[in-house]
Amino acid sequence: MPSYAITGASRGLGWAFLEEISNDSSNTVIGIVRDKTATDKRVKDELNGRPNITILQADITDYAALKKAAEDTSKITGGHLDYLIANAALVSKYDGYDGIGTLGSDPDQLTAQFNAYMTTNVLGNIHLYNLFMPLILAGDAKKVTAISTGMADLDLVNEFATYMGPLYAMSKAAMNMVTAKFSAQYKKEGVLFVSISPGFVDTGNNDVSNLSPEQMEGLQAMVASFQKYAPHFKGAITPQESVKAVLGVIDKLSLDQGHGGAFLSHLGTKQWL
Ligand SMILES: NC(=O)c1ccc[n+]([C@@H]2O[C@H](COP(=O)([O-])OP(=O)(O)OC[C@H]3O[C@@H](n4cnc5c(N)ncnc54)[C@H](OP(=O)(O)O)[C@@H]3O)[C@@H](O)[C@H]2O)c1
């Protein structure tokens, strides 16, 4: 009975992971969300209240709530966890299409947003990893995955001038290093930590109405850089396509093959689109 815990399971990719993994009734699936009532209702309405799903409440910036989620997970699984998927993230419209130089015109706002990104996408996940480590160490699969983004790849940024989404990309790049550091510490105990980008996925966050002229320019530059980077790129994939691909990659990766701390795409390579 493999067990999985997924953060940010209320919607988008997190919900798709919850649905896909719980399709197999032998999997025990724990979804960690901010709004438990709404997600419980969604599970009841859309998944017929699948008995292999439990929804726990925690904002990943709330250490006490995460600790309680780890304790409750332990009670459900009997003290172990096979797979942890750190999917929850702040994905803000604030820096979606602007460059860091443009955002610098309002330093107070830049500071506040920087802190929000780092607190959620980096520190929240450090606490998540630490609190769930005893369960992962006691599990069989021992696989921890951070959902990252190709936007955090230095080569992509440098070669294709992807200046947009700067604070988001910085937080994800920092999280790649967090995952590598955990890997460096725990691989001798058999734990595989990896960062996987899910591709470009339509999770309903691509509303481009109300963009400023600079943001519209940023959006156009992003599309142009994607087309130059990947001429085959036709547009966003569905959450279902993405999670199936990511789960397939998680399945194939192993410490024996040298994947500890790796940063790869949903294709299992460094091809992000
Ligand atoms: N979509 C893409 O194309 C794409 C591309 C590359 C990487 N990613 C990565 O894939 C992951 C999921 O993306 P998505 O597109 O599904 O994003 P999304 O639709 O914006 O969903 C974000 C999820 O994270 C949760 N969340 C945000 N802040 C949280 C917090 N402080 N504590 C707990 N949960 C929190 C949200 O919960 P609420 O419902 O409570 O707000 C929601 O479930 C993210 O890590 C993102 O960076 C996505």
Coordinates of all heavy atoms in Angstrom, one line a residue, residues 8-14 34-35 58-61 86-91 120 147-149 168 172 197-203 205, ligand 1:
G8 N -0.6 21.5 -1.6 CA -1.2 22.3 -2.6 C -2.2 21.5 -3.4 O -2.4 21.7 -4.6
A9 N -2.9 20.6 -2.7 CA -3.8 19.6 -3.4 C -5.2 20.2 -3.7 O -6.0 19.4 -4.2 CB -3.9 18.3 -2.6
S10 N -5.4 21.4 -3.4 CA -6.7 22.0 -3.6 C -7.1 22.2 -5.1 O -8.3 22.2 -5.4 CB -6.8 23.3 -2.9 OG -5.8 24.2 -3.4
R11 N -6.1 22.5 -5.9 CA -6.4 22.9 -7.3 C -5.2 22.7 -8.2 O -4.1 22.3 -7.6 CB -6.9 24.3 -7.4 CG -5.9 25.3 -6.8 CD -6.6 26.7 -6.7 NE -5.8 27.6 -5.9 CZ -4.9 28.5 -6.4 NH1 -4.7 28.5 -7.7 NH2 -4.2 29.2 -5.6
G12 N -5.3 23.0 -9.4 CA -4.2 22.9 -10.3 C -3.5 21.6 -10.4 O -4.1 20.5 -10.3
L13 N -2.2 21.6 -10.4 CA -1.4 20.4 -10.5 C -1.6 19.5 -9.3 O -1.6 18.3 -9.3 CB 0.1 20.7 -10.7 CG 0.4 21.0 -12.2 CD1 1.8 21.8 -12.2 CD2 0.5 19.8 -13.0
G14 N -1.7 20.1 -8.1 CA -1.8 19.4 -6.8 C -3.1 18.5 -6.9 O -3.1 17.4 -6.5
R34 N -4.9 24.5 2.2 CA -5.2 25.5 3.1 C -6.7 25.5 3.5 O -7.0 25.8 4.7 CB -4.8 26.9 2.5 CG -3.3 27.1 2.4 CD -3.0 28.5 2.1 NE -3.2 28.9 0.7 CZ -2.7 29.9 0.2 NH1 -1.9 30.8 0.9 NH2 -2.9 30.2 -1.1
D35 N -7.5 25.2 2.6 CA -9.0 25.2 2.8 C -9.5 23.7 2.8 O -9.8 23.2 1.7 CB -9.7 26.1 1.8 CG -11.2 26.2 2.1 OD1 -11.7 25.4 2.9 OD2 -11.8 27.2 1.6
A58 N -3.1 22.6 6.2 CA -1.9 23.4 6.6 C -1.5 24.4 5.5 O -1.4 24.0 4.4 CB -0.7 22.4 6.8
D59 N -1.3 25.6 6.0 CA -0.6 26.6 5.2 C 0.9 26.2 5.3 O 1.4 26.1 6.5 CB -0.9 28.0 5.7 CG -0.4 29.1 4.8 OD1 0.8 29.0 4.4 OD2 -1.1 30.0 4.5
I60 N 1.7 26.2 4.2 CA 3.0 25.7 4.4 C 3.9 26.8 5.0 O 5.1 26.5 5.4 CB 3.7 25.2 3.1 CG1 3.8 26.2 2.0 CG2 2.9 23.9 2.6 CD1 4.7 25.8 0.9
T61 N 3.4 28.0 5.3 CA 4.2 29.0 6.0 C 3.9 28.9 7.5 O 4.4 29.7 8.3 CB 3.8 30.4 5.5 OG1 2.5 30.7 5.8 CG2 4.1 30.6 4.0
A86 N 6.2 18.0 -2.9 CA 6.2 19.4 -2.5 C 5.7 20.3 -3.7 O 6.6 20.7 -4.5 CB 7.5 19.9 -1.9
N87 N 4.4 20.4 -3.8 CA 3.8 21.0 -5.0 C 3.4 22.4 -4.7 O 3.4 23.3 -5.6 CB 2.7 20.1 -5.5 CG 1.8 20.9 -6.5 OD1 2.1 21.0 -7.6 ND2 0.6 21.4 -5.9
A88 N 2.9 22.7 -3.5 CA 2.3 24.0 -3.2 C 3.3 25.1 -3.5 O 4.5 25.0 -3.2 CB 1.9 24.1 -1.7
A89 N 2.9 26.2 -4.0 CA 3.8 27.3 -4.3 C 3.0 28.6 -4.4 O 1.9 28.6 -4.9 CB 4.6 27.1 -5.5
L90 N 3.7 29.7 -4.1 CA 3.1 31.0 -4.4 C 3.5 31.3 -5.9 O 4.7 31.2 -6.2 CB 3.8 32.1 -3.5 CG 3.5 33.5 -3.8 CD1 2.0 33.8 -3.7 CD2 4.3 34.5 -2.9
V91 N 2.5 31.5 -6.7 CA 2.7 31.8 -8.1 C 1.9 33.1 -8.3 O 0.7 33.1 -8.5 CB 2.1 30.7 -9.0 CG1 2.5 31.0 -10.5 CG2 2.6 29.3 -8.6
T120 N 7.3 31.2 1.4 CA 6.5 30.2 1.0 C 7.2 29.1 0.2 O 7.2 27.9 0.6 CB 5.3 30.7 0.1 OG1 4.7 31.8 0.7 CG2 4.3 29.6 -0.2
I147 N 8.2 20.2 -6.9 CA 7.8 20.6 -8.2 C 8.4 21.9 -8.5 O 8.2 22.9 -7.8 CB 6.2 20.6 -8.3 CG1 5.6 19.3 -7.9 CG2 5.8 21.1 -9.6 CD1 6.1 18.1 -8.8
S148 N 9.3 21.9 -9.4 CA 10.1 23.1 -9.8 C 9.6 23.7 -11.1 O 8.4 23.6 -11.4 CB 11.6 22.6 -9.9 OG 12.4 23.8 -10.0
T149 N 10.5 24.4 -11.8 CA 10.1 25.0 -13.1 C 11.3 25.2 -13.9 O 12.4 25.5 -13.4 CB 9.4 26.4 -12.8 OG1 9.3 27.0 -14.1 CG2 10.2 27.3 -12.0
Y168 N 9.8 34.7 -8.7 CA 9.3 33.3 -8.7 C 10.5 32.4 -9.1 O 10.7 31.4 -8.4 CB 8.2 33.2 -9.7 CG 7.7 31.8 -10.1 CD1 7.0 31.1 -9.1 CD2 8.0 31.3 -11.3 CE1 6.6 29.8 -9.5 CE2 7.6 30.0 -11.6 CZ 6.9 29.3 -10.7 OH 6.5 28.0 -11.0
K172 N 12.3 29.4 -6.9 CA 12.4 28.0 -7.3 C 13.8 27.5 -7.5 O 14.1 26.3 -7.2 CB 11.6 27.8 -8.7 CG 10.1 28.0 -8.5 CD 9.6 26.9 -7.7 CE 8.1 26.8 -7.8 NZ 7.5 25.6 -7.2
S197 N 10.4 19.8 -13.0 CA 9.5 20.8 -13.6 C 8.4 20.1 -14.3 O 8.6 19.1 -15.0 CB 10.3 21.6 -14.7 OG 9.4 22.3 -15.5
P198 N 7.2 20.6 -14.2 CA 6.0 19.9 -14.7 C 5.7 20.2 -16.2 O 4.7 19.8 -16.7 CB 4.9 20.4 -13.8 CG 5.3 21.8 -13.5 CD 6.8 21.7 -13.4
G199 N 6.6 21.1 -16.8 CA 6.3 21.6 -18.2 C 5.4 22.8 -18.1 O 5.3 23.4 -17.0
F200 N 4.9 23.3 -19.2 CA 4.1 24.5 -19.2 C 2.6 24.0 -19.2 O 2.2 23.3 -20.1 CB 4.4 25.4 -20.4 CG 3.7 26.7 -20.4 CD1 3.8 27.6 -19.4 CD2 2.8 27.0 -21.5 CE1 3.2 28.8 -19.4 CE2 2.2 28.3 -21.5 CZ 2.3 29.2 -20.4
V201 N 1.9 24.2 -18.1 CA 0.6 23.5 -17.8 C -0.5 24.5 -17.7 O -0.3 25.5 -16.9 CB 0.7 22.7 -16.5 CG1 -0.5 21.7 -16.4 CG2 2.0 21.9 -16.5
D202 N -1.6 24.2 -18.3 CA -2.8 25.1 -18.1 C -3.5 24.8 -16.8 O -4.3 23.9 -16.8 CB -3.7 25.0 -19.3 CG -4.9 25.9 -19.3 OD1 -4.9 26.8 -18.3 OD2 -5.7 25.9 -20.1
T203 N -3.2 25.6 -15.8 CA -3.9 25.4 -14.5 C -4.8 26.6 -14.2 O -5.1 26.9 -13.1 CB -2.9 25.2 -13.4 OG1 -1.9 26.2 -13.4 CG2 -2.2 23.9 -13.5
N205 N -4.1 29.8 -14.7 CA -3.4 31.0 -14.2 C -2.9 31.9 -15.3 O -2.1 32.8 -15.0 CB -2.2 30.6 -13.3 CG -2.6 29.9 -12.1 OD1 -3.7 30.1 -11.5 ND2 -1.8 28.9 -11.6
Ligands
LIG1 N1 1.3 25.6 -14.2 C1 2.5 25.6 -14.8 O1 2.7 25.8 -16.0 C2 3.7 25.4 -13.9 C3 5.0 25.5 -14.6 C4 6.1 25.2 -13.8 C5 6.0 25.0 -12.5 N2 4.8 24.9 -11.8 C6 4.8 24.6 -10.4 O2 3.8 23.6 -10.2 C7 3.2 23.7 -8.9 C8 1.7 23.8 -9.0 O3 1.4 24.9 -9.9 P1 -0.1 25.2 -10.3 O4 0.0 25.8 -11.7 O5 -1.0 24.1 -10.0 O6 -0.3 26.5 -9.3 P2 -1.7 27.0 -8.7 O7 -2.9 26.7 -9.6 O8 -1.5 28.5 -8.4 O9 -1.9 26.3 -7.3 C9 -1.0 26.5 -6.3 C10 -1.3 25.6 -5.2 O10 -0.4 25.9 -4.1 C11 -1.2 26.2 -2.9 N3 -0.6 27.2 -2.1 C12 -0.1 28.4 -2.4 N4 0.4 29.0 -1.3 C13 0.3 28.1 -0.3 C14 0.7 28.1 1.1 N5 1.2 29.2 1.6 N6 0.4 27.0 1.8 C15 -0.2 25.9 1.3 N7 -0.6 25.9 0.0 C16 -0.3 26.9 -0.8 C17 -2.6 26.7 -3.5 O11 -3.5 26.6 -2.5 P3 -4.9 27.5 -2.4 O12 -5.9 26.8 -3.2 O13 -5.2 27.5 -0.9 O14 -4.5 28.9 -2.9 C18 -2.7 25.8 -4.6 O15 -3.2 24.5 -4.2 C19 3.9 25.0 -8.3 O16 5.0 24.6 -7.5 C20 4.4 25.7 -9.5 O17 5.5 26.6 -9.2 C21 3.6 25.1 -12.5

